[in-house]
Amino acid sequence: MYSDLVKKGVEKTPHRSLFKALGLTDEELDRPLIGVVCAKNEVIPGHMHLDKLAEAVKTGVRIAGGTPLEFPSIGVCDGIAMGHVGMKYSLASRELIADSIESMTLAHGLDALVLIPNCDKIVPGMLIAAARLNKPAIVVSGGPMLSMNYQGKFRDLNTAFEAVGAYKAGTIDECGLKELEEAACPSCGSCSGMFTANSMNCLCEVLGMALPGNGTIPAVYSERIRLAKQAGMKIMELLEKDIKPRDIITPDSLYNALRVDMALGCSTNSMLHLPAIAHEAKAPITLDYANEISKETPNLCHLAPAGEHHVQDLYMAGGVTAVMNELSKKNLLKLDTITVTGKTQGENIAGHEVKDYTVIRPIDNPYSQTGGIAVLKGNLAVDGSVVKRSAVAPEMLKHEGPAKVFDSEDEAIAAIYAGKIVKGDVVVIRYEGPKGGPGMREMLSPTSAICGMGLDKDVALITDGRFSGATRGAAIGHVSPEAMEGGPIAFIKDGDIIEIDIENCILNVKLSDEELKNRKEGWTPNEPKVKTGYLRRYSKLVSSAIQGAVMLD
């Protein structure tokens, strides 16, 4: 066992003495040491209950003959960080999470890991660490928040964000705003739509790194505690059989993840995280590959923000395994991939039929024949850009309009709330990419303002930053190369005509190559927005969004 490095032999007497200072017995030290990485904190509502899951995991580990050792992980709540400097730290925190897990695991000789995340960048951060370390590992997430029926409609975090725009547009009063604030987020768990956290928790199942049910069992259900105990027991089996993350995260399992991503209509942030996970697993993927899969994958679900259903509805309809079973009817998955169950994905999904075809459409009657995410290219996004196609109004799948250009999210929000954006406009927000932000802020505030003011069928937004999974509308992010690296988005001017054709995956500015070249002459990037601390180091090392915004040496 790897842990023998810290507990076997005369030379390790001081090491054993320190373990005994923890209260461990010789019997416990004779067993494998299992790291239980718990992201519980009192800041993120999706994480406030994770200590209960950690206790359940440790029970499962002990039942199966291991010694659990818990340590924490940081986390950033994207909702609380939204719309201010805090959002610069969200994506960047993913790398800190991975690095800290690597440090703790190797420094203390741990044999295997149970990873307990729930929200936003914590899930991919832990998966990146698992792939990098390549020690037996399993994910058990905290589960989705419930959505509450308020005035005949089930609400979510996006409701609260869009309510701000509605209030500023005068369509609701202060009392109505307060009532929506109270109703939007009624319980612990990851916010209830198919936003980033729930997207990644569902994709953990598809990758094979989590037990069935991980993505959809509601946070408040006791079934979630039982799942955590099963994960604690299962890690001992993975250790015994020497099944490691890189045995599980393979080109075939990533293919499956992209398929289900498109069928579910996941957050566009999956197009950042899957390439980053694949990079660490030594099984790299490209967004061109994602687009090819999207063209051949029916979109079966319209979960919020694309529709009225929430993750609790997906759970009742059969969950991720039912979606996969439906896709398998047309041989759209590679079913011989190994998973943390010790079985293949085909064995995992066998017999899991859809229970509600209003939530999960039948394979022969999808919402569309193409996937929920599209990668657009053109002279404005030479390397690519990403849009959640399933959440775009049909009227905006093709659009041409004049650019309204802003060099930061803050400038754009002020202009939107001031009524300076009108029907037909294309809002361009630049210098918000991984390097330029730095940190590639999510932009739920401006998109929610546009939607809340009733402009989502008339106004598009493009950026070298990114969007929340809660964003809906013609919101195109990840434009690469970013402005800070001299991408064409740096040279757009107010009034330039932007061409958007989501069906044909095109994003252009109607300028000649010669004009773009002339505008670039003598260009220098804007001054860095952050010049000290972690974000300064991050901006120097981070790659482009199309590469997953991974840290490069």
Side-chain angles (χ1 to χ4, degrees):
M1 288 187 290
Y2 183 73
S3 59
D4 288 350
L5 286 171
V6 296
K7 66 184 186 182
K8 290 290 185 182
V10 172
E11 296 81 5
K12 298 303 184 287
T13 296
H15 302 66
R16 290 191 297 274
S17 180
L18 288 166
F19 280 121
K20 288 182 177 180
L22 293 171
L24 296 184
T25 64
D26 287 330
E27 290 79 5
E28 287 173 299
L29 288 174
D30 283 339
R31 299 169 182 167
L33 301 183
I34 308 300
V36 178
V37 190
C38 180
K40 192 265 182 187
N41 64 52
E42 296 181 352
V43 179
I44 308 176
H47 286 213
M48 61 188 285
H49 63 304
L50 296 189
D51 54 336
K52 305 294 189 299
L53 297 186
E55 287 304 317
V57 164
K58 290 187 283 188
T59 296
V61 169
R62 292 186 184 108
I63 287 171
T67 296
L69 296 173
E70 182 181 341
F71 63 91
S73 165
I74 66 162
V76 171
C77 176
D78 280 19
I80 296 172
M82 196 73 66
H84 61 94
V85 69
M87 181 47 71
K88 293 179 183 291
Y89 287 89
S90 173
L91 181 59
S93 73
R94 187 187 72 182
E95 314 313 311
L96 287 176
I97 290 162
D99 290 351
S100 65
I101 294 170
E102 173 193 347
S103 300
M104 287 293 291
T105 301
L106 297 182
H108 300 108
L110 304 179
D111 294 303
L113 296 170
V114 182
L115 305 164
I116 311 174
N118 207 29
C119 293
D120 300 307
K121 310 310 160 291
I122 301 92
V123 183
M126 289 190 176
L127 285 169
I128 287 168
R132 182 186 301 169
L133 290 164
N134 203 32
K135 292 178 178 294
I138 188 170
V139 174
V140 56
S141 303
M145 184 183 289
L146 292 177
S147 175
M148 186 171 76
N149 190 328
Y150 172 73
Q151 294 186 346
K153 185 176 180 181
F154 284 88
R155 308 293 178 162
D156 54 47
L157 176 66
N158 204 29
T159 303
F161 273 98
E162 292 190 7
V164 176
Y167 174 74
K168 289 185 178 289
T171 57
I172 62 171
D173 60 17
E174 190 171 347
C175 180
L177 184 67
K178 180 69 171 178
E179 288 177 355
L180 287 170
E181 175 184 318
E182 301 288 348
C185 299
S187 73
C188 65
S190 48
C191 294
S192 55
M194 190 49 72
F195 310 149
T196 303
N198 290 323
S199 295
M200 293 308 301
N201 286 330
C202 287
L203 294 181
C204 282
E205 287 187 47
V206 188
L207 284 171
M209 287 296 296
L211 297 173
N214 179 75
T216 59
I217 299 169
V220 296
Y221 285 15
S222 295
E223 185 181 354
R224 176 69 53 179
I225 294 175
R226 297 197 297 274
L227 186 77
K229 289 180 181 176
Q230 291 162 359
M233 290 185 278
K234 189 59 68 173
I235 192 62
M236 299 306 296
E237 182 182 323
L238 293 170
L239 181 60
E240 180 184 355
K241 294 181 178 179
D242 197 32
I243 298 175
K244 299 185 180 78
R246 291 186 205 166
D247 300 321
I248 296 170
I249 304 172
T250 64
D252 283 353
S253 69
L254 287 160
Y255 169 94
N256 288 341
L258 288 167
R259 281 282 192 207
V260 177
D261 189 334
M262 302 305 168
L264 284 174
C266 289
S267 164
T268 52
N269 282 310
S270 65
M271 294 295 101
L272 278 172
H273 301 320
L274 287 176
I277 294 162
H279 172 78
E280 290 289 355
K282 312 301 182 188
I285 57 174
T286 68
L287 291 195
D288 289 332
Y289 181 51
N291 234 16
E292 288 304 311
I293 289 176
S294 181
K295 289 176 184 177
E296 302 168 352
T297 307
N299 179 217
L300 304 182
C301 298
H302 268 191
L303 301 162
E308 297 299 318
H309 297 131
H310 289 82
V311 180
Q312 65 201 35
D313 302 307
L314 180 61
Y315 166 75
M316 293 302 296
V320 175
T321 50
V323 173
M324 295 182 74
N325 188 291
E326 196 67 21
L327 290 172
S328 73
K329 292 177 181 178
K330 287 199 172 179
N331 299 314
L332 294 176
L333 297 172
K334 299 181 186 291
L335 298 179
D336 57 352
T337 55
I338 194 67
T339 71
V340 291
T341 65
K343 301 177 182 178
T344 65
Q345 199 63 267
E347 292 173 307
N348 288 347
I349 70 173
H352 287 266
E353 298 292 335
V354 174
K355 298 175 183 177
D356 185 347
Y357 276 115
T358 66
V359 177
I360 304 170
R361 286 280 189 94
I363 193 74
D364 291 321
N365 184 31
Y367 284 101
S368 70
Q369 293 294 338
T370 53
I373 291 176
V375 177
L376 314 186
K377 285 191 172 185
N379 70 348
L380 185 48
V382 178
D383 293 338
S385 61
V386 179
V387 64
K388 189 167 185 172
R389 173 166 40 196
S390 60
V392 178
E395 299 93 323
M396 291 298 291
L397 290 172
K398 285 192 175 184
H399 180 74
E400 283 191 14
K404 293 277 183 74
V405 183
F406 306 93
D407 281 355
S408 73
E409 177 189 10
D410 312 88
E411 293 175 18
I413 292 172
I416 294 166
Y417 285 145
K420 296 180 179 179
I421 305 303
V422 299
K423 289 184 177 182
D425 282 347
V426 178
V427 177
V428 178
I429 305 177
R430 62 191 179 195
Y431 290 101
E432 290 287 5
K435 289 183 178 294
M440 202 181 183
R441 289 194 284 182
E442 282 187 353
M443 298 189 191
L444 183 55
S445 294
T447 57
S448 295
I450 288 168
C451 292
M453 297 174 83
L455 294 171
D456 57 298
K457 296 180 180 179
D458 301 288
V459 170
L461 193 155
I462 69 172
T463 180
D464 54 7
R466 62 194 176 91
F467 297 107
S468 166
T471 289
R472 64 185 176 92
I476 301 164
H478 306 199
V479 171
S480 297
E482 63 174 288
M484 198 69 174
E485 293 193 304
I489 193 171
F491 314 117
I492 305 302
K493 296 179 180 179
D494 284 348
D496 288 343
I497 301 301
I498 307 296
E499 175 195 14
I500 299 167
D501 185 346
I502 293 173
E503 294 290 3
N504 292 302
C505 300
I506 292 170
L507 178 62
N508 281 323
V509 57
K510 291 203 161 182
L511 298 172
S512 67
D513 291 345
E514 184 179 2
E515 175 62 18
L516 281 171
K517 182 179 178 181
N518 288 340
R519 290 188 185 186
K520 189 170 184 177
E521 286 183 9
W523 169 84
T524 57
N526 285 4
E527 278 286 306
K529 295 174 183 174
V530 178
K531 299 179 182 180
T532 61
Y534 172 57
L535 286 179
R536 181 188 66 83
R537 299 193 301 274
Y538 178 84
S539 68
K540 288 180 178 296
L541 296 174
V542 69
S543 71
S544 79
I546 297 305
Q547 294 173 285
V550 297
M551 299 280 271
L552 300 175
D553 295 333

